[in-house]
Amino acid sequence: MKSFIAVRLALMVPTLLGVLIVTFLLLYVAPGDPVQAMIGERADQATIDRLRAELRLDDPLPVQFGRYVSSVVQGDLGTSYITGRPIAADLMDRFPATLKLAASAMLFAALFGISIGIYSAWRPGSWGDRISALIAYAGVSFPVYWVGLLLILVFAVMLRWFPASGYGGFAFLVLPAITLGMRSVAFLSRMTRAAMQDVLRSDFVRTARAKGLGETPVVLSHGLRNALIPIVTVLGLDFGSYLTGSILTETIFSWPGVGRYVLTAIEKRDLPAVQGSILFLSFVFVLVNLVTDLVYAKVDPRVAYD
Amino acid sequence: MRRLAILLVLVAAACADAGQDSGTLRYYLTADPVSLDPALSTDVQSGEMITMLFDNLVRFDVDAKLVPGIATRWEVDSTASVYTFHLRSGVTFHDGQPLTAKDVEASILRALAPGSRGRHWPLQPIQGASDYAEGRAGGISGLVVPDDSTVVFTLREPLNIFPKFLAMPVAAIVPASAGADFSGNPLGSGPWKFVSWQHDNALLFAANESYWGGRPESDSIRVRIIPEASTQAAEFETGQLSVVEIPFSETQRWEQEHGDLLQRRAAIRDFYIAINTTRGPLADVRVRRALNHAVNVETILSTIMAGRGVRAAGAIPPGVSGHDPSRKPYEYDPERARQLLAEAGYPDGFPLQLWRSQRTEIARVSQAVQQALGAVGITVEILERDATSVRAAVRNGETDLFIGDWYADYPDPENFTWPLFHSRNHGPGGNYAFLSDPALDAMIVELRTTTDEARKEELARLVDTRVFELAPWIFLWFPEDMWATQPDLSGWRIPAVFTGQRWTEAVVSE
């Protein structure tokens, strides 16, 4: 187990290096010029040339890349071209907000998605099952953007139950968490239903029922327990993607997370900020995947990492 | 389940109540300010905030009239190149230190310091400023502080509007002791004191009790960062914002639902399409006039823009000296357009690329223009890119047509002539049409340097007429701003320039 973790952590290095190279090349070929974004209106050529020289943007690409990698290796993500603030600090400023939103969305999705899935698998063809199918289709078909605005309109503007947007306590979390978690609810409920149906039809479940076990332990202990692998996979992947920022949800709900930070950085061609954020977020994503893999072993004793 | 729902509602109600403290003004920005350090401010959002926290020697009021700030009065010599400012006494920064001419000097040196990434241009006219900024000199020869209450600027060439430049955010006065990491804890002398700033979320300022110009009417102001227009509207409708700007596309809904809450103001702004006068057929003035005749601006304005604006016949907006309301716009006349194109040797038209950013109203206007030009044989390909890409392409002269708008920093004809049309400002300077016209250049330079106000107005009129005839733009309209304000808010009006509203008189009645 320990050596498995060590190998996976070591493998992160080439993964992140690959991410860095791709990001660097993409930003290099992308149109637009960071200096033009920095300088605002009414610029003069002398200032532009001076800034290009100061930022050493005219150096050959490999030289720029080498310089960047060497500072990253020393633990320095650099400072933003635009704001002059250290990028690592900016990311740490925003990551708690993203974590809070991602965790809430995941909690919401797991709670509702798995419950709905279990019910549907337990009573396939029932009204409840049909409604859950409808919810799932709605969840995957409605764009996040539209769901978010609809929730704001209904629950903030019309009913006044929740604040329309902003960062704060529980009340501020409800609408963005639902918006972000919607899609996961849909996937999870279908995934749970499918996996559970397979399990519930299997011999050992029939045996469990035959020996007189009640429905609750049959469905939860025998059924859910054995259907967990695909569910954990979906949970892990979705959580990873939520943690790396959800630009639309954060924008609609004015949520100060990393998604908006990255978006702003890309829009302004803030090269070090984009590279730093993508590096950090890739790291988070890879880490979440590793944890997911470790959870497999916990969930299914047949999975062992030796 | 029902119990859970009730619980959720109760919690929500409790949280919502906690947010409702009165006496606080509630404003918003569409993006996080780049910096609260005046030396680093390049964007409108930073400028608006800096205007509230800091003082300048002079500043703009809500109607964009230049009024005294830290300077009580100023004199200019007969050549418009030596300016002497006399400072107010007894002004202190928020920490109690006195503000003197030394701080003014330090602020300007700091903003221009080599390696600074601010928006320098308002300070560049000072003699020696460029040498200092580029590290060729240890000081600025044109900046002299003879005593604690006097600052003398000598300019490298005459410039009659220099005091207006000193009202820009980059010229705000910071303590001489200000360090490099000033943005996180800005210390000014303005009507509001900095309290907190959580990036991408909110800024909080408190009233400066001992402000020399009188304490603000309200105790505090909270400025949220809300990028999405629909969310801004929702926050306003739930009472969480004191004011909200109405997007053009939402005009009719607001007029119907909240007509009594709306304020309007003619903006000092151009909405235009720059024609690159160096590219192919567009070098021919007949072609550029044909483009102007081909577009039915009146219809686009009344439909897509909900009538919010005044048709433009030139670049100088109403309310700015030199604007000529009697000049007739290019008439919508596709026949005439075809005829002009034929005269120029393009009876069958030609293809063009129109570059635009992703703003909603710009998308719709672009399509209307595309259709109108198609009708006279010019096939327009619309290239939609993010703002930074568009900006880079336009400034490098890679675009045939570019649609955008130009905001006044200060209400002066110079702001609508020198950057936009003087040949020295091709590309990054603002002349996106790459217009070069020696006669025009000469008039613009005289407009910048004359000390005779009447002559300046006459020149502005002449320049604008010449610009109109040369047609470096498809002249569209001068837009009208529209904001909604809460019924209990008083003392707030739409500012004419972005530095014009300091929220000092705004107050929410209890």
Side-chain angles (χ1 to χ4, degrees):
Chain A
M1 183 73 132
K2 267 187 194 142
S3 65
F4 170 76
I5 297 176
V7 169
R8 285 286 296 264
L9 286 176
L11 278 174
M12 277 173 97
V13 176
T15 309
L16 294 180
L17 191 69
V19 167
L20 259 188
I21 293 175
V22 172
T23 316
F24 212 86
L25 289 175
L26 276 178
L27 284 172
Y28 188 76
V29 296
D33 176 352
V35 173
Q36 301 277 10
M38 285 163 72
I39 203 159
E41 301 294 342
R42 297 187 72 162
D44 61 308
Q45 199 57 46
T47 312
I48 292 175
D49 294 343
R50 178 174 62 80
L51 280 171
R52 286 198 73 86
E54 269 174 32
L55 299 171
R56 301 164 79 176
L57 286 169
D58 295 323
D59 286 356
L61 192 60
V63 176
Q64 290 189 46
F65 186 68
R67 196 164 49 231
Y68 183 69
V69 170
S70 84
S71 75
V72 167
V73 168
Q74 292 164 38
D76 181 11
L77 289 183
T79 54
S80 155
Y81 281 173
I82 307 285
T83 65
R85 287 193 293 268
I87 290 153
D90 269 354
L91 285 170
M92 283 308 114
D93 240 19
R94 288 161 174 86
F95 191 64
T98 295
L99 186 63
K100 210 161 145 184
L101 179 57
S104 315
M106 227 47 241
L107 195 71
F108 163 74
L111 220 61
F112 282 81
I114 298 176
S115 314
I116 293 172
I118 292 173
Y119 180 83
S120 308
W122 183 53
R123 288 279 179 269
S126 67
W127 273 105
D129 183 27
R130 285 181 209 170
I131 291 171
S132 88
L134 200 68
I135 293 176
Y137 288 132
V140 289
S141 334
F142 293 153
V144 166
Y145 197 79
W146 185 84
V147 171
L149 291 180
L150 189 74
L151 290 180
I152 291 178
L153 189 67
V154 174
F155 293 102
V157 178
M158 286 161 67
L159 297 172
R160 305 283 167 108
W161 287 5
F162 301 104
S165 78
Y167 184 58
F170 179 73
F172 288 90
L173 260 171
V174 175
L175 299 184
I178 293 176
T179 305
L180 186 58
M182 264 294 269
R183 213 180 51 95
S184 291
V185 169
F187 273 124
L188 271 176
S189 66
R190 298 323 278 173
M191 188 67 81
T192 309
R193 183 182 187 274
M196 286 280 285
Q197 271 201 319
D198 282 348
V199 178
L200 288 180
R201 272 198 296 263
S202 61
D203 291 346
F204 71 91
V205 169
R206 199 174 47 209
T207 309
R209 282 196 173 120
K211 75 180 183 191
L213 209 57
E215 270 308 282
T216 312
V218 166
V219 171
L220 293 185
S221 308
H222 289 70
L224 182 61
R225 172 90 210 198
N226 286 287
L228 269 181
I229 287 271
I231 297 174
V232 169
T233 309
V234 173
L235 280 174
L237 281 176
D238 281 0
F239 191 50
S241 78
Y242 292 170
L243 272 183
T244 51
S246 18
I247 293 174
L248 284 177
T249 310
E250 287 177 5
T251 304
I252 299 167
F253 290 99
S254 315
W255 195 265
V258 286
R260 269 167 69 200
Y261 182 74
V262 179
L263 182 68
T264 311
I266 293 172
E267 280 175 350
K268 299 212 167 156
R269 301 294 185 277
D270 193 346
L271 304 180
V274 178
Q275 281 150 7
S277 321
I278 292 183
L279 193 65
F280 170 74
L281 296 174
S282 312
F283 175 76
V284 169
F285 194 81
V286 174
L287 212 61
V288 170
N289 277 346
L290 175 59
V291 171
T292 310
D293 284 352
L294 295 178
V295 171
Y296 286 156
K298 264 268 173 281
V299 166
D300 187 344
R302 285 168 301 179
V303 180
Y305 303 114
D306 295 319
Chain B
M1 192 65 203
R2 183 183 295 165
R3 220 176 283 161
L4 179 69
I6 292 171
L7 183 74
L8 282 179
V9 173
L10 286 177
V11 171
C15 297
D17 275 352
Q20 293 275 8
D21 52 316
S22 55
T24 302
L25 299 168
R26 294 148 185 281
Y27 184 48
Y28 69 98
L29 298 171
T30 54
D32 205 42
V34 163
S35 176
L36 294 182
D37 183 342
L40 297 177
S41 74
T42 52
D43 55 321
V44 170
Q45 288 81 14
S46 302
E48 282 189 46
M49 296 299 101
I50 286 166
T51 302
M52 292 161 72
L53 296 173
F54 295 89
D55 282 317
N56 288 44
L57 287 174
V58 289
R59 66 179 188 86
F60 292 115
D61 70 5
V62 70
D63 298 314
K65 202 173 122 233
L66 194 69
V67 295
I70 293 300
T72 50
R73 62 196 171 87
W74 57 95
E75 295 122 31
V76 57
D77 72 339
S78 60
T79 64
S81 45
V82 180
Y83 287 85
T84 307
F85 287 83
H86 302 281
L87 273 52
R88 201 175 290 278
S89 61
V91 177
T92 57
F93 288 107
H94 298 151
D95 65 350
Q97 292 176 60
L99 186 159
T100 70
K102 290 274 177 267
D103 297 299
V104 178
E105 182 187 30
S107 303
I108 288 167
L109 285 168
R110 192 168 170 277
L112 281 167
S116 164
R117 293 177 187 171
R119 198 182 181 210
H120 285 166
W121 63 261
L123 304 174
Q124 293 281 8
I126 304 169
Q127 193 170 65
S130 306
D131 285 342
Y132 176 71
E134 269 145 51
R136 289 191 299 267
I140 299 175
S141 54
L143 174 61
V144 177
V145 176
D147 59 61
D148 269 359
S149 61
T150 315
V151 182
V152 183
F153 295 96
T154 307
L155 308 186
R156 67 177 177 208
E157 55 193 31
L159 181 64
N160 51 29
I161 51 161
F162 182 65
K164 290 179 179 172
F165 283 18
L166 293 178
M168 299 296 294
V170 73
I173 300 158
V174 305
S177 57
D181 179 32
F182 189 63
S183 176
N185 218 342
L187 180 71
S189 62
W192 299 95
K193 290 197 281 193
F194 175 79
V195 177
S196 67
W197 178 14
Q198 198 197 358
H199 293 295
D200 276 336
N201 183 26
L203 301 104
L204 184 64
F205 300 159
N208 175 5
E209 300 290 339
S210 51
Y211 186 56
W212 58 265
R215 175 198 191 279
E217 296 286 334
S218 297
D219 294 338
S220 61
I221 180 164
R222 185 159 186 262
V223 184
R224 300 252 324 262
I225 315 298
I226 309 178
E228 170 58 42
S230 312
T231 313
Q232 292 157 13
E235 293 286 7
F236 178 83
E237 286 179 86
T238 54
Q240 296 297 316
L241 288 178
S242 302
V243 298
V244 71
E245 184 170 13
I246 311 300
F248 290 95
S249 54
E250 294 285 305
T251 307
Q252 268 154 5
R253 180 174 82 82
W254 281 83
E255 280 174 341
Q256 281 159 14
E257 291 176 18
H258 303 288
D260 50 330
L261 304 179
L262 298 178
Q263 280 191 28
R264 297 155 186 273
R265 169 161 217 153
I268 310 180
R269 190 184 315 149
D270 288 335
F271 204 101
Y272 69 103
I273 295 174
I275 306 170
N276 189 323
T277 57
T278 61
R279 287 172 77 91
L282 301 176
D284 190 322
V285 67
R286 287 170 297 190
V287 171
R288 303 198 297 266
R289 286 180 189 150
L291 297 186
N292 272 286
H293 282 299
V295 180
N296 192 349
V297 178
E298 210 63 69
T299 308
I300 299 176
L301 178 59
S302 64
T303 52
I304 299 168
M305 305 301 283
R308 276 170 58 184
V310 180
R311 175 92 198 265
I316 299 178
V320 175
S321 131
H323 172 76
D324 184 354
S326 67
R327 194 181 302 119
K328 289 267 174 291
Y330 285 97
E331 207 181 332
Y332 173 57
D333 187 349
E335 239 353 277
R336 175 102 187 95
R338 272 193 216 98
Q339 195 187 328
L340 280 166
L341 287 173
E343 279 172 30
Y346 304 98
D348 303 321
F350 50 87
L352 281 180
Q353 288 184 332
L354 169 65
W355 285 64
R356 71 164 180 85
S357 66
Q358 289 149 322
R359 269 162 47 188
T360 324
E361 73 266 14
I362 284 190
R364 295 183 190 161
V365 174
S366 302
Q367 284 161 12
V369 169
Q370 181 185 40
Q371 203 177 10
L373 293 182
V376 299
I378 297 173
T379 35
V380 175
E381 182 193 358
I382 298 177
L383 294 173
E384 181 200 331
R385 298 283 186 275
D386 68 288
T388 302
S389 303
V390 174
R391 177 181 281 193
V394 173
R395 289 179 169 186
N396 292 333
E398 293 158 8
T399 63
D400 296 323
L401 303 176
F402 156 74
I403 181 164
D405 46 13
W406 179 259
Y407 285 65
D409 288 313
Y410 44 90
D412 193 283
E414 193 266 3
N415 202 175
F416 290 91
T417 53
W418 163 259
L420 297 172
F421 305 116
H422 193 280
S423 61
R424 229 175 78 182
N425 291 314
H426 282 178
N431 185 348
Y432 295 161
F434 290 81
L435 187 66
S436 300
D437 183 63
L440 193 64
D441 282 357
M443 284 195 289
I444 293 174
V445 168
E446 194 187 341
L447 182 151
R448 270 165 75 86
T449 51
T450 178
T451 50
D452 177 351
E453 276 302 315
R455 173 71 183 147
K456 182 173 169 181
E457 179 157 5
E458 187 195 353
L459 279 162
R461 213 176 283 259
L462 289 171
V463 168
D464 207 31
T465 305
R466 177 99 184 127
V467 165
F468 180 73
E469 285 163 0
L470 291 173
W473 289 0
I474 300 178
F475 297 98
L476 297 176
W477 49 80
F478 306 115
E480 178 190 69
D481 282 334
M482 183 185 279
W483 288 69
T485 61
Q486 297 290 359
D488 57 0
L489 180 80
S490 59
W492 188 92
R493 284 196 295 134
I494 304 173
V497 288
F498 74 108
T499 48
Q501 180 53 268
R502 301 175 105 194
W503 289 82
T504 47
E505 281 140 51
V507 63
V508 179
S509 58
E510 309 263 330

